Amino acid sequence: DVKVTQSSRYLVKRTGEKVFLECVQDMDHENMFWYRQDPGLGLRLIYFSYDVKMKEKGDIPEGYSVSREKKERFSLILESASTNQTSMYLCASSLLGTSGRAPNEQFFGPGTRLTVL
Amino acid sequence: SQQGEEDPQALSIQEGENATMNCSYKTSINNLQWYRQNSGRGLVHLILIRSNEREKHSGRLRVTLDTSKKSSSLLITASRAADTASYFCAGGRRALTFGSGTRLQVQP
């Protein structure tokens, strides 16, 4: 079974703190993704990565950065946390798509519920 | 931007009934996927339908895709209380964009 793990289920931070959210997958997937999920807005893509040291902005990258130093690990960084970054953060991974890079099935972690006070 | 818009936003049915959820999307897609999310959990992939397919079945799930109307539907037949969850459609060309989901409540 594919396993995607996230470092914390719940996290409480203060405004201005630097926050690291870690995601690890054990299936040698090329693609990894970070989403945030807010009521009524569904999932919104923050950043994704197709390979080690490679990253691409998603729909809402402002206020976030990412790091992918190893294939199995994809980190989301909030340089200076703000209250509007309180949300559920979901990490996912997938195999690299074939035939024009069509998106493959994504495997999700359990999520990290981040509260910024 | 959201790729998919699910309709209805919420649906409540009795066990044994069928549940139909619809999804409309905006841009071109290579495939469309449906996911399920139990409360407070990550998403689980249900089914993928390619842009050149019109219908696909998997157990009690039936998905249709109409690329001319940019719409898809998910039918769950003979629903069970355990089907209670949120359901999302997602599509795109490289990365997936998700809709805001349909909350399904199946009453025992």
Side-chain angles (χ1 to χ4, degrees), chain B residues 11-83:
Chain B
L11 181 61
S12 182
I13 59 174
Q14 296 294 125
E15 218 169 17
E17 293 180 341
N18 295 343
T20 300
M21 288 159 267
N22 302 298
C23 166
S24 58
Y25 57 92
K26 297 172 186 171
T27 61
S28 64
I29 58 170
N30 283 328
N31 61 56
L32 191 127
Q33 302 179 31
W34 285 89
Y35 288 79
R36 164 197 168 121
Q37 183 182 35
N38 287 79
S39 181
R41 297 296 202 174
L43 279 71
V44 175
H45 182 266
L46 293 176
I47 194 165
L48 180 154
I49 185 166
R50 292 185 169 76
S51 58
N52 61 355
E53 296 176 310
R54 292 295 166 259
E55 188 171 312
K56 198 163 185 178
H57 297 254
S58 176
R60 292 185 297 115
L61 306 179
R62 173 178 169 255
V63 169
T64 62
L65 180 65
D66 187 336
T67 52
S68 66
K69 294 181 180 177
K70 290 189 165 59
S71 67
S72 175
S73 68
L74 172 68
L75 168 68
I76 304 175
T77 60
S79 63
R80 305 166 183 168
D83 294 328

Side-chain angles (χ1 to χ4, degrees), chain A:
Chain A
D1 276 356
V2 176
K3 199 157 189 182
V4 180
T5 56
Q6 295 184 229
S7 49
S8 307
R9 287 301 311 275
Y10 300 93
L11 207 53
V12 180
K13 295 291 182 181
R14 297 241 174 242
T15 301
E17 279 192 76
K18 190 168 185 176
V19 181
F20 292 88
L21 301 182
E22 304 284 342
C23 175
V24 177
Q25 49 93 6
D26 66 358
M27 282 301 291
D28 204 35
H29 284 171
E30 294 86 0
N31 298 340
M32 295 189 76
F33 308 85
W34 274 107
Y35 298 90
R36 64 176 281 176
Q37 183 177 24
D38 301 287
L41 296 177
L43 276 75
R44 292 180 291 168
L45 182 64
I46 304 172
Y47 268 98
F48 59 102
S49 168
Y50 287 120
D51 202 351
V52 175
K53 295 191 187 295
M54 179 273 185
K55 61 186 178 186
E56 287 195 33
K57 293 180 180 178
D59 296 321
I60 51 163
E62 297 79 17
Y64 304 94
S65 63
V66 290
S67 172
R68 192 156 180 211
E69 296 297 317
K70 293 185 178 181
K71 190 175 185 180
E72 67 269 21
R73 188 179 298 268
F74 192 34
S75 303
L76 180 69
I77 303 152
L78 287 65
E79 294 289 342
S80 177
S82 63
T83 55
N84 63 13
Q85 292 178 311
T86 292
S87 188
M88 169 74 102
Y89 289 87
L90 292 163
C91 174
S93 72
S94 75
L95 288 168
L96 186 67
T98 55
S99 62
R101 293 188 150 209
N104 272 327
E105 168 188 358
Q106 293 187 11
F107 295 84
F108 282 80
T112 295
R113 188 165 293 281
L114 172 67
T115 302
V116 182
L117 302 175

Side-chain angles (χ1 to χ4, degrees), chain B residues 6-13 20-21 101-105:
Chain B
E6 287 90 345
D7 170 51
Q9 289 187 329
L11 181 61
S12 182
I13 59 174
T20 300
M21 288 159 267
T102 292
R103 290 189 312 279
L104 174 66
Q105 177 79 38

